[in-house]
Amino acid sequence: MLNHASLSENTHKQQLFPMTVVTRFAPSPTGYLHIGGARTALYNYLYAKHMGGKYLLRIEDTDRARSTEGAIAAIFDGLSWLGLGWDGEPVFQFARADKHRAAAERLLSEGKAYYCYASPEELTAMREEQKAKGLPIKYNGLWRDRNAKDAPAGVKPVIRLRAPQDGETMLHDLVQGPVTVANSQLDDMILLRSDGTPTYMLAVVVDDIDMGITHVIRGDDHLNNAFRQYQLILALGHEAPQYGHIPLIHGADGAKLSKRHGALGVDAYRDMGFLPETLRNYLLRLGWGHGDDEIISDEQAIAWFDIADVGRAPARLDFDKLANLNAHYIRTADDARLMNLLRPLVESTGPVDAGGLKRLERGLAGLKPRAKTLKELAESGAFYLHPRPLPLDDKAKTTLADGGKATLQAMIPALEALTDWTQGSLDAWTKAYAEQTGQKLGKIMPPLRAGACGSMNSPSITEVMAVLGKDETLARLKDAVG
Ligand code: GLU
């Protein structure tokens, strides 16, 4: 239906330099904020900020069964967590049905729309005939020029747009480039159903007009809708917005993202331990780039982002890249903020006390470079939180059983005598102790690690001992030999 073509006669030029940019994110509640929707929101947000404009939120809640309070809250929560707060109050589409109806009725009174009384049987017959003739399936204008006096009794009409039939409609899509469709392919779409409810097309257009939207940035699954929406906007006597239809996100296998690929909602990424800034940076780079820059701050994103630079190829999710980016943002995150994020994670695995939380915070510097998610960070720091006696994993048990206990036992009095308990002095002490006792460092470190951490996988052991403090370290070591 679409092709990329040059300008032809019956097209309407779009406004190229609107005064103030107003974008919108217009999700239909589904129960979660879809990862693709999150990227659409991000692009709308960034473009508005880049242009010094406004970014609005419209909840398209006309599907009453799906638009539950919880489903709407999931969108607010997802956007807030991502840091994509919108300007002003959110607009709820369903509440605006009167405005949508009024627009349809105005078009009717101006002759730009008409009542259609076609019965379901007539519409079926129309489709069958078109199918048999190999023609495109569409409403054939049956009631376009008929007089309402001929209306069959008892049939409630729909209202249809009297759409142009000749020429073509061309859009200069900011992402897709010039796209055209022959007007003969667009039928007279329904604006108001026979029960008086507005159609989706009508609602979107009227809302975009009333909200003063200058740029419609959304998934390219809506590109076909844009032609009809464009015609409707013109019929309503308004200037069309600029469109930017962004390619959808695909899974790592190249197929369109679906449940089968796993995490679809932003909340799932939060629960896996990704930071919001990671997701912002990652989603930004999916389909848009600034040279080879991988790490892009919010300020840089706002300064550099232009919707016209978004690519046309579908973007593929790459979990390794996402994890590496998260590792970067964890490494550079503020410790107090990380503690706020970690606390619910560690509390969900068992009771924690204030001393344990302090130890974890002091240990973050050594743990952060090793974690790709908050979950990993919480897991790797669990040994700091654990009340004594610390549980030992199998490798730690083996280390202590294989002569480690005796090595440790001999070290404890010497450690007790140590007054300066910093990582530096502990490094110096372990070296000196190894030399004095004629042992290799590789002999004395493992039992220290087993006793102080309960596993053989931890940051530098002298760092851990310094973080634990003298009393806690010695108490743990004595537990291990006891
Ligand atoms: N509500 C539509 C969706 O969630 C978006 C409509 C639009 O952006 O125009 O896909």
Side-chain angles (χ1 to χ4, degrees):
M1 175 168 182
L2 304 180
N3 61 69
H4 297 263
S6 57
L7 200 73
S8 72
E9 292 161 26
N10 205 15
T11 57
H12 303 268
K13 273 239 170 92
Q14 294 167 330
Q15 184 179 358
L16 288 177
F17 300 106
M19 294 303 283
T20 305
V21 165
V22 184
T23 66
R24 81 326 189 249
F25 175 47
S28 310
T30 54
Y32 51 80
L33 175 57
H34 190 280
I35 189 82
R39 190 179 57 145
T40 301
L42 176 70
Y43 285 6
N44 275 290
Y45 171 91
L46 288 177
Y47 189 62
K49 300 282 166 204
H50 176 76
M51 298 298 286
K54 280 196 162 56
Y55 150 74
L56 310 181
L57 176 63
R58 179 169 76 234
I59 303 292
E60 302 212 317
D61 56 349
T62 49
D63 180 342
R64 301 313 285 161
R66 296 190 94 182
S67 302
T68 59
E69 233 171 76
I72 293 171
I75 291 172
F76 291 152
D77 289 350
L79 289 174
S80 303
W81 177 75
L82 263 181
L84 299 179
W86 52 94
D87 293 313
E89 292 298 319
V91 170
F92 291 89
Q93 189 161 65
F94 180 71
R96 294 180 34 81
D98 283 350
K99 308 255 186 229
H100 307 150
R101 262 191 292 277
E105 273 148 20
R106 177 159 74 77
L107 289 176
L108 196 63
S109 70
E110 291 171 358
K112 294 175 181 166
Y114 60 91
Y115 283 124
C116 166
Y117 295 85
S119 66
E121 294 73 29
E122 280 173 309
L123 291 172
T124 309
M126 192 185 293
R127 265 194 301 274
E128 292 304 323
E129 192 188 330
Q130 287 164 344
K131 234 193 259 168
K133 290 185 179 161
L135 295 170
I137 309 292
K138 56 173 212 164
Y139 175 73
N140 67 4
L142 189 64
W143 279 88
R144 195 177 161 101
D145 299 312
R146 267 165 87 171
N147 198 318
K149 281 201 306 256
D150 302 336
V155 176
K156 280 198 172 166
V158 299
I159 296 180
R160 288 183 184 269
L161 178 71
R162 194 183 298 279
Q165 295 183 305
D166 307 321
E168 52 186 19
T169 298
M170 169 185 252
L171 302 175
H172 291 270
D173 193 276
L174 293 167
V175 177
Q176 307 289 329
V179 279
T180 42
V181 63
N183 289 334
S184 59
Q185 290 195 32
L186 304 175
D187 55 10
D188 290 347
M189 65 175 155
I190 299 178
L191 303 177
L192 219 56
R193 299 186 189 90
S194 55
D195 65 359
T197 55
T199 58
Y200 166 71
M201 291 291 189
L202 177 65
V204 167
V205 163
V206 172
D207 290 349
D208 280 345
I209 291 171
D210 288 353
M211 290 165 77
I213 303 301
T214 61
H215 289 71
V216 169
I217 298 170
R218 60 186 174 193
D220 66 11
D221 49 337
H222 287 284
L223 182 56
N224 276 323
N225 290 342
F227 294 100
R228 296 175 183 278
Q229 291 173 5
Y230 177 76
Q231 290 187 341
L232 182 51
I233 291 169
L234 298 185
L236 284 164
H238 287 267
E239 195 132 19
Q242 296 262 285
Y243 293 99
H245 286 93
I246 61 178
L248 300 183
I249 298 180
H250 286 193
D253 57 358
K256 209 177 134 186
L257 208 58
S258 71
K259 284 219 171 85
R260 173 173 70 73
H261 288 99
L264 287 186
V266 161
D267 53 327
Y269 290 83
R270 180 186 55 199
D271 294 347
M272 283 187 276
F274 291 100
L275 291 172
E277 57 267 41
T278 302
L279 230 49
R280 282 200 299 274
N281 192 151
Y282 182 73
L283 291 174
L284 171 64
R285 293 278 289 98
L286 265 186
W288 176 90
H290 184 265
D292 291 333
D293 292 323
E294 296 279 354
I295 308 288
I296 299 177
S297 70
D298 293 332
E299 293 71 28
Q300 288 169 326
I302 289 172
W304 295 337
F305 183 78
D306 188 340
I307 187 65
D309 295 334
V310 172
R312 259 162 56 178
R316 277 193 196 201
L317 270 188
D318 179 338
F319 269 89
D320 287 340
K321 262 197 182 164
L322 182 63
N324 288 335
L325 207 52
N326 206 41
H328 164 82
Y329 281 110
I330 286 179
R331 231 171 13 248
T332 50
D334 173 69
D335 287 355
R337 172 176 169 231
L338 279 181
M339 282 306 294
N340 282 334
L341 297 172
L342 287 173
R343 201 166 302 136
L345 286 182
V346 297
E347 280 171 353
S348 69
T349 60
V352 285
D353 60 21
L357 287 170
K358 277 216 181 81
R359 289 194 294 272
L360 177 60
E361 184 161 5
R362 283 201 304 271
L364 278 181
L367 297 170
K368 281 176 2 180
R370 301 155 55 92
K372 290 196 164 170
T373 64
L374 290 176
K375 257 194 171 166
E376 280 181 25
L377 189 61
E379 277 161 22
S380 69
F383 74 93
Y384 278 129
L385 290 165
H386 230 287
R388 294 179 29 237
L390 190 66
L392 307 179
D393 72 11
D394 287 348
K395 281 192 182 147
K397 279 185 194 149
T398 312
T399 304
L400 289 169
D402 287 348
K405 263 191 196 172
T407 312
L408 208 49
Q409 193 113 46
M411 260 190 285
I412 289 175
L415 277 170
E416 267 174 335
L418 194 66
T419 48
D420 185 12
W421 197 271
T422 61
Q423 186 178 358
S425 60
L426 287 162
D427 278 334
W429 180 86
T430 43
K431 270 192 206 115
Y433 181 83
E435 250 168 52
Q436 279 161 22
T437 57
Q439 300 179 88
K440 291 216 164 93
L441 274 180
K443 173 110 191 288
I444 64 169
M445 298 303 221
L448 278 176
R449 197 184 290 279
C453 309
S455 84
M456 305 313 290
N457 181 16
S458 75
S460 142
I461 181 59
T462 50
E463 179 189 331
V464 169
M465 291 165 75
V467 167
L468 287 173
K470 185 174 177 180
D471 291 350
E472 177 73 15
T473 304
L474 283 165
R476 287 185 177 199
L477 297 182
K478 285 178 189 166
D479 288 344
V481 297

